Amino acid sequence: MKKKGVSHIDYIIAISMMIIILAVVVGFLNSFLSNLRHESESSASSTDALSVLSGLLYERGNISSRPFELGTKAYKIYITLNNTQNYYKNQSLVAANQTSELVSFNYTQLGYTASVNSTAIYNESNSSVNYNINSDIISFTANIASSGSALFTVYFDADSNFTGMSVPVSGFDNITEVFYPAEELRIVQYKKIIELNKTSYSLVKNMSGIPDFRLRIVDMQTNQTFLDYGSLPPSKANVVALQRYVLYQNSTAGIRQGRIIIQTW
Amino acid sequence: MKGYIYTLEVIFAAALVFTATIFIFNLLSPQQLTPTKTIKESAYDALSYIDASGSLRPVVLARDEPQLESMLSRFLPVNVGYETQICRESCSLVNVETNRTVIVVDYYIAGLRDTYAGSKVRLWAWQKF
């Protein structure tokens, strides 16, 4: 007797194997397309985040046209004081401790176009120094021991306006100060941070073309968040986070070290 | 006997298709985003930031490379290896990774206040893992 059924086993095996192969190919294809989608989403988010960070310190437009360009051109001047005989204005005086050495300067006389109300002054230990504004003259005092020296850093820009920063100062101007040429630096400007914070999130999303984001400025020294703008990242999504270190201007014209963190998804 | 030969053919074909599928999808699998641009931007930003905060120039004048590298460690991601040199024209490649794509950033420093430095900070950076 001929067993006809047995001769079909090879065909059954062949068909089964082809089905398995098809399943494997479909599996690979599905995984490939899924990875591709995730990678393109991550890539787009990374490009958005990089683009925000790259343009952050520029000022090519205003907040309504370029919402993430928060920068301004600021300057810093170093001022040194040497409490030695050579630097005394009155050469007949003997070098002695100067507890209230008065330092005065005027941006116009130094050759700069500046807003006097943008001034921030720091001593060598990076502590803020109180100053007085009288018309366009800025004055502050220094305490310098005989034969000692002091270094001050003055920051200013052309278009910031912090009123109420002036305090009365008094002293005697015995020493000739040395002013060094201004160095340009780019900082994140306080008034632009405020403008961005006031702008509606959906408007900024539409202008920038970024689907969703969160932008934060965190102070490097205190670790406190100075700006938190945007929406909270979802718990499940491809979130790209990049950060950049910047100098930013705080609410009292102070120049602070901070980092800007952008999360996009 | 003929049937078993067919089965062997199918197994052979299946193996071929399987191998080809793995090969093609591995070849086409999306490449990871290149970190080169990010590393380069991070490296330049780190130097620029240290300069803007007033710490770079005294270090360059003192030619204090360990101090510079210590400062950079705060600003560069942990997966980025780096080496710095404060030099003028020729910079030595000692300690620079040789088996990775290395990014070079040059940052020129003219001086500090009234002291001329005329130096550059060369920063080599690469992805560690």
Side-chain angles (χ1 to χ4, degrees):
Chain A
M1 192 177 116
K2 195 177 177 186
K3 292 179 180 171
K4 240 182 166 181
V6 176
S7 66
H8 293 302
I9 288 175
D10 48 352
Y11 291 111
I12 291 165
I13 292 171
I15 289 165
S16 309
M17 292 200 78
M18 282 316 294
I19 289 169
I20 291 167
I21 288 164
L22 273 174
V24 168
V25 170
V26 168
F28 268 116
L29 194 64
N30 190 33
S31 154
F32 171 74
L33 291 176
S34 168
N35 282 345
L36 195 65
R37 200 184 70 241
H38 284 302
E39 286 297 331
S40 351
E41 281 171 5
S42 295
S43 178
S45 295
S46 296
T47 308
D48 287 339
L50 265 177
S51 155
V52 169
L53 291 187
S54 304
L56 200 75
L57 294 176
Y58 287 106
E59 43 176 342
R60 293 170 293 192
N62 52 31
I63 291 291
S64 60
S65 60
R66 292 175 181 269
F68 295 116
E69 293 194 359
L70 304 173
T72 193
K73 198 191 286 179
Y75 298 90
K76 76 175 165 189
I77 300 176
Y78 289 109
I79 302 172
T80 57
L81 281 93
N82 285 292
N83 190 357
T84 53
Q85 182 71 35
N86 294 345
Y87 289 91
Y88 269 62
K89 288 184 174 174
N90 181 351
Q91 285 291 298
S92 61
L93 288 175
V94 179
N97 293 347
Q98 299 294 335
T99 52
S100 301
E101 170 60 27
L102 189 69
V103 181
S104 297
F105 61 94
N106 175 332
Y107 289 120
T108 314
Q109 281 179 357
L110 291 174
Y112 305 114
T113 305
S115 156
V116 285
N117 288 328
S118 69
T119 305
I121 304 174
Y122 290 92
N123 61 18
E124 265 171 293
S125 21
N126 214 26
S127 300
S128 184
V129 175
N130 290 330
Y131 59 88
N132 176 259
I133 300 173
N134 183 2
S135 181
D136 55 354
I137 297 169
I138 292 162
S139 309
F140 65 93
T141 56
N143 181 356
I144 319 171
S146 175
S147 303
S149 64
L151 173 73
F152 294 91
T153 311
V154 178
Y155 292 93
F156 64 92
D157 65 69
D159 61 343
S160 292
N161 188 20
F162 296 89
T163 51
M165 299 296 296
S166 177
V167 296
V169 295
S170 62
F172 304 98
D173 187 8
N174 292 319
I175 299 172
T176 303
E177 304 87 14
V178 179
F179 290 83
Y180 291 95
E183 291 175 22
E184 185 187 312
L185 64 153
R186 293 211 159 260
I187 58 169
V188 173
Q189 193 176 27
Y190 179 69
K191 74 173 184 183
K192 288 187 179 164
I193 296 172
I194 297 299
E195 280 174 36
L196 175 66
N197 217 9
K198 281 182 189 163
T199 312
S200 111
Y201 176 58
S202 56
L203 185 66
V204 173
K205 280 201 301 181
N206 288 342
M207 280 190 293
S208 63
I210 301 176
D212 260 312
F213 69 90
R214 184 186 188 191
L215 184 78
R216 281 177 296 155
I217 299 178
V218 178
D219 192 281
M220 291 273 287
Q221 281 149 339
T222 62
N223 222 22
Q224 284 183 328
T225 302
F226 187 70
L227 169 76
D228 193 345
Y229 184 79
S231 64
L232 285 175
S235 52
K236 275 183 83 176
N238 274 338
V239 181
V240 172
L242 292 177
Q243 70 174 5
R244 179 178 181 180
Y245 296 92
V246 289
L247 295 180
Y248 74 93
Q249 197 176 37
N250 69 9
S251 58
T252 56
I255 303 295
R256 307 281 305 173
Q257 300 182 12
R259 58 197 168 99
I260 292 205
I261 304 153
I262 175 101
Q263 291 169 296
T264 52
W265 61 93
Chain B
M1 185 65 191
K2 207 175 172 185
Y4 294 114
I5 289 169
Y6 286 153
T7 309
L8 277 174
E9 275 178 1
V10 168
I11 290 169
F12 185 67
L16 271 179
V17 171
F18 197 71
T19 314
T21 309
I22 291 172
F23 178 74
I24 289 168
F25 284 108
N26 272 343
L27 206 69
L28 291 180
S29 69
Q31 296 294 305
Q32 279 203 329
L33 289 169
T34 169
T36 313
K37 185 176 163 55
T38 316
I39 293 176
K40 191 166 189 175
E41 292 218 2
S42 304
Y44 181 80
D45 284 346
L47 288 173
S48 171
Y49 174 78
I50 295 170
D51 186 23
S53 57
S55 310
L56 183 64
R57 287 164 196 258
V59 169
V60 170
L61 247 73
R63 309 191 85 74
D64 191 348
E65 284 170 22
Q67 174 64 17
L68 176 59
E69 287 176 8
S70 156
M71 287 195 292
L72 280 168
S73 67
R74 289 178 65 204
F75 305 112
L76 289 173
V78 286
N79 68 332
V80 171
Y82 61 90
E83 174 61 27
T84 59
Q85 260 228 327
I86 299 164
C87 44
R88 289 198 168 163
E89 286 162 11
S90 58
C91 303
S92 135
L93 287 163
V94 177
N95 296 335
V96 177
E97 177 66 53
T98 49
N99 294 321
R100 301 268 183 178
T101 303
V102 177
I103 288 139
V104 183
V105 172
D106 282 345
Y107 196 92
Y108 289 84
I109 298 288
L112 170 66
R113 297 194 284 278
D114 54 356
T115 312
Y116 176 71
S119 299
K120 71 179 168 192
V121 175
R122 176 159 284 189
L123 170 58
W124 291 272
W126 58 90
Q127 192 181 21
K128 283 200 288 195
F129 45 84

